[in-house]
Amino acid sequence: MTILANILIVLTISFGAIFIMVTAIGLIRLPDVYSRSHAASKSATLGVMSILIGVFLHFWLIEDHFNPRILLGILFLFITGPVGGHVIARAAYFSGVKAWKGTVKDELKPEYERKIKEASIKEKE
C-alpha cells in the first residue's frame, strides 16, 4: 500500500510541477496580456492544486494525519485563481490595453461600447 501511495503522491506533485513549468513558459512566450493572464490563472491554478493534492495525500496516507486545511486551500485556490485572472484581463481590456494583432475575435467589444455610451450619458446629466 505504501508503494502505491508514494507513486500516487509523486505523480500528482510531478503533474503540478509540469503545469507550473508550462505556466512559466507561457508567461515568457505568449504575445499579449490576455494570453498571459490565461496561462497564469488556469495552468498555475492546476499546477498548484496538484501539488497541494500531493501534499494532502502524503500527510493522509503516509503520515496518517488528515488535514482539512489543505482541502480548504485547494478549494479557495480553485475558486479564486481563475476568477482573479479573468478580472485582471477584463480590467486590462477596459483600461485600453491592446490585444495581439493576430487576435481573431473580440467578444467584449459590444459590452465595452455599451459602458462607454452609458458613461457619456451620465456625464451629460
Side-chain angles (χ1 to χ4, degrees), residues 14 23 29 39 42 60 69 72 78 92 94 101 123:
S14 299
T23 299
R29 300 279 305 176
K42 305 299 188 288
W60 188 30
R69 288 181 285 182
L72 288 174
F78 180 73
F94 284 123
K101 63 182 176 186
E123 191 175 286

Side-chain angles (χ1 to χ4, degrees), residues 18-30:
I18 289 169
F19 265 91
I20 289 175
M21 188 175 65
V22 167
T23 299
I25 293 168
L27 289 175
I28 294 169
R29 300 279 305 176
L30 291 174

Side-chain angles (χ1 to χ4, degrees), residues 11 19 24 31 41 44 60-61 69 75 90 93 95 101:
L11 284 177
F19 265 91
S41 64
W60 188 30
L61 300 174
R69 288 181 285 182
L75 178 68
R90 191 172 169 103
Y93 186 88
S95 65
K101 63 182 176 186

Side-chain angles (χ1 to χ4, degrees), residues 17-121:
I18 289 169
F19 265 91
I20 289 175
M21 188 175 65
V22 167
T23 299
I25 293 168
L27 289 175
I28 294 169
R29 300 279 305 176
L30 291 174
D32 64 348
V33 69
Y34 308 108
S35 302
R36 290 177 184 156
S37 71
H38 179 76
S41 64
K42 305 299 188 288
S43 59
T45 299
L46 184 60
V48 174
M49 279 177 44
S50 296
I51 290 173
L52 285 176
I53 288 170
V55 168
F56 172 77
L57 290 174
H58 170 75
F59 281 112
W60 188 30
L61 300 174
I62 305 298
E63 302 287 332
D64 200 33
H65 175 72
F66 183 81
N67 193 346
R69 288 181 285 182
I70 296 176
L71 293 177
L72 288 174
I74 292 168
L75 178 68
F76 180 75
L77 185 66
F78 180 73
I79 293 170
T80 59
V83 171
H86 175 78
V87 169
I88 290 170
R90 191 172 169 103
Y93 186 88
F94 284 123
S95 65
V97 176
K98 298 292 181 199
W100 176 51
K101 63 182 176 186
T103 302
V104 177
K105 191 172 186 180
D106 185 3
E107 294 180 354
L108 198 54
K109 190 173 185 175
E111 177 72 16
Y112 178 73
E113 290 170 349
R114 185 184 65 82
K115 286 194 179 267
I116 294 293
K117 189 183 285 186
E118 285 178 2
S120 67
I121 290 172

Side-chain angles (χ1 to χ4, degrees), residues 1-8 62:
M1 178 68 180
T2 306
I3 294 173
L4 189 61
N6 282 332
I7 290 172
L8 184 63
I62 305 298

